[in-house]
Amino acid sequence: MFVPQQSGYILPEDFTVISTVYEKAVSARAISRQSDEGEWLARYTLELFMTGTRDARELETRLEEFSLPVRGRGNSRVVDLLPDLSAWARSLTASPNEATALTEQTLDYAIDHVEEFIATSDVRRWLVRLMVELRLGRRPR
């Protein structure tokens, strides 16, 4: 028996729901559908729908909460870089507690100075540079 919610197919009436919700979100954000954020929004809309969020209102609510993740080289998210950052911090410090503190200090600084990242293309390199400069007691540039 064909069960649309479990089939992996998008039926015409489903596509209408997805398209309408997506267009509302794009208009509300005043972005282009061809922009990076527009493409991410489209992917996220489809992902939500395919994983069970079928109601138009619920889709709209979930899309309002959506924000484009900060990504570095290789499309990694900042959260994906935490193991690497922790490893760098352990190599720069004498104890696990100091490493944790340095990682937190680096991320706090990064959050407070995110506009500096906008000019950089590689989030991993930027975070490691911040960490090293903070460890050396220098104010990151």
Side-chain angles (χ1 to χ4, degrees):
M1 183 166 150
F2 179 72
V3 181
Q5 288 80 6
Q6 298 173 355
S7 68
Y9 292 103
I10 298 175
L11 300 175
E13 57 271 12
D14 296 334
F15 183 75
T16 302
V17 170
I18 294 167
S19 177
T20 302
V21 169
Y22 172 74
E23 289 299 329
K24 282 183 183 179
V26 166
S27 294
R29 292 169 183 243
I31 59 171
S32 165
R33 288 180 293 188
Q34 287 76 31
S35 69
D36 286 344
E37 187 175 0
E39 289 180 20
W40 274 103
L41 197 59
R43 286 188 193 111
Y44 188 59
T45 305
L46 284 171
E47 178 184 328
L48 286 172
F49 190 85
M50 297 305 289
T51 57
T53 306
R54 303 282 171 138
D55 180 63
R57 286 183 188 235
E58 188 177 349
L59 270 172
E60 287 177 24
T61 302
R62 299 282 300 273
L63 290 179
E64 286 172 5
E65 300 166 355
F66 172 79
S67 63
L68 184 64
V70 176
R71 294 191 173 270
R73 190 183 320 158
N75 288 332
S76 59
R77 297 180 303 168
V78 172
V79 70
D80 296 333
L81 298 173
L82 287 177
D84 288 345
L85 289 175
S86 295
W88 270 96
R90 284 190 304 274
S91 72
L92 294 169
T93 58
S95 75
N97 290 341
E98 287 179 16
T100 300
L102 180 58
T103 302
E104 290 173 359
Q105 183 182 10
T106 301
L107 293 173
D108 284 343
Y109 186 91
I111 290 167
D112 291 342
H113 296 85
V114 72
E115 68 279 352
E116 294 172 18
F117 166 70
I118 304 300
T120 308
S121 61
D122 186 354
V123 70
R124 182 183 177 279
R125 185 172 61 188
W126 180 65
L127 289 170
V128 169
R129 182 180 58 80
L130 290 177
M131 181 177 283
V132 170
E133 290 182 5
L134 287 168
R135 176 66 179 133
L136 295 174
R138 295 188 231 161
R139 184 180 171 278
R141 320 179 230 129

